[in-house]
Amino acid sequence: MLEHAAGQPWIYPVLLVFFFIDGFATILPSETAIVGLSALAMHRGEPNLWLLGATALVGAMAGDNTAYMLGRKIGLDRWKWMRKPKVRKMFAWAHYELDKRGAVLIFTARYIPWGRVAVNYVAGQTGFRHKTFFWLDAFACFTWVGYSIGIGSLAGHWVHNNPLLGVGIAVAFAVVLGVIVDHTLRWWHKHLEKKDAEKKEAASAEAASAEAAAADAGTAVKATAGVERSNPAG
């Protein structure tokens, strides 16, 4: 299907819709499309990689910002799929991480399919500054497009005499690398959560220690005052 569509003029508006929808509902294989078409472009010269990249960038940013606006307007429980336990858990994760490290999360979540949808909605629902979100998301989408085209181009160049094999290798490589990136980013965010918890425990222990010291000091003062009253000087 990708090979047939690669040279058609309608491929760009169709891809624009793919990338747009992928920003607020992970139901279309946008990564597969851009990686596979990039591999084909190395053999056939079609589609144009610059137009492909621009289409992906505009569509991804439009989808992400649409999710942001939906999160602001309708919240996180309007639709049935939003109320599923797995989705609720993802929303809770995004809410916690966005509060702690918003810039890092918006950038890295672009590489986690369900993660980016959750972050986009939660950013809008929590009132995260839209201008800041827009520019962070633009940078994230730009690097994501370069990453996806780079994978496809590398695979297409590697298997130079068989374009379909190049597409297959590119898609398989993208899936495997995507899983690795997904798990790596999740592990990193969990590591950061663990560090936050340790800092919170340390701060709580320090506060408890200070409170105990203050209580001991107060007891000592009262005891001293009692001695002075029972045995006045002179």
Side-chain angles (χ1 to χ4, degrees), residues 11-199:
I11 187 64
Y12 301 108
V14 169
L15 286 174
L16 186 67
V17 174
F18 262 55
F19 298 124
F20 171 67
I21 294 176
D22 191 52
F24 58 88
T26 310
I27 57 176
L28 294 175
S30 59
E31 278 92 353
T32 302
I34 188 172
V35 168
L37 288 169
S38 298
L40 281 174
M42 298 304 294
H43 298 273
R44 301 176 47 175
E46 295 176 321
N48 183 287
L49 286 180
W50 289 104
L51 285 177
L52 178 63
T55 301
L57 179 62
V58 172
M61 288 183 61
D64 289 351
N65 282 273
T66 296
Y68 176 95
M69 297 307 298
L70 286 172
R72 174 169 287 186
K73 296 293 183 182
I74 69 174
L76 304 178
D77 57 3
R78 174 71 63 84
W79 295 318
K80 185 177 179 181
W81 67 267
M82 291 178 166
R83 297 190 289 271
K84 292 181 178 180
K86 186 176 180 180
V87 177
R88 299 302 303 171
K89 184 178 179 181
M90 186 67 75
F91 280 148
W93 167 80
H95 195 294
Y96 174 84
E97 290 292 321
L98 195 64
D99 183 56
K100 291 290 182 180
R101 51 189 73 86
V104 172
L105 182 65
I106 291 170
F107 176 78
T108 56
R110 181 18 76 173
Y111 294 83
I112 306 174
W114 266 109
R116 65 171 170 256
V117 172
V119 169
N120 295 340
Y121 276 102
V122 171
Q125 190 269 337
T126 57
F128 191 90
R129 191 165 177 257
H130 191 200
K131 185 176 180 180
T132 303
F133 174 86
F134 179 88
W135 288 112
L136 288 172
D137 181 66
F139 180 63
C141 289
F142 181 80
T143 59
W144 174 78
V145 169
Y147 156 85
S148 301
I149 290 178
I151 291 174
S153 300
L154 179 64
H157 183 74
W158 185 33
V159 190
H160 194 67
N161 298 320
N162 193 327
L164 288 182
L165 180 60
V167 172
I169 291 174
V171 171
F173 184 66
V175 170
V176 172
L177 189 58
V179 170
I180 293 172
V181 170
D182 185 355
H183 284 277
T184 300
L185 291 176
R186 288 177 189 274
W187 171 85
W188 186 45
H189 282 291
K190 286 182 180 178
H191 175 69
L192 293 177
E193 286 179 26
K194 185 178 179 181
K195 289 182 68 176
D196 288 341
E198 290 174 352
K199 289 180 180 178

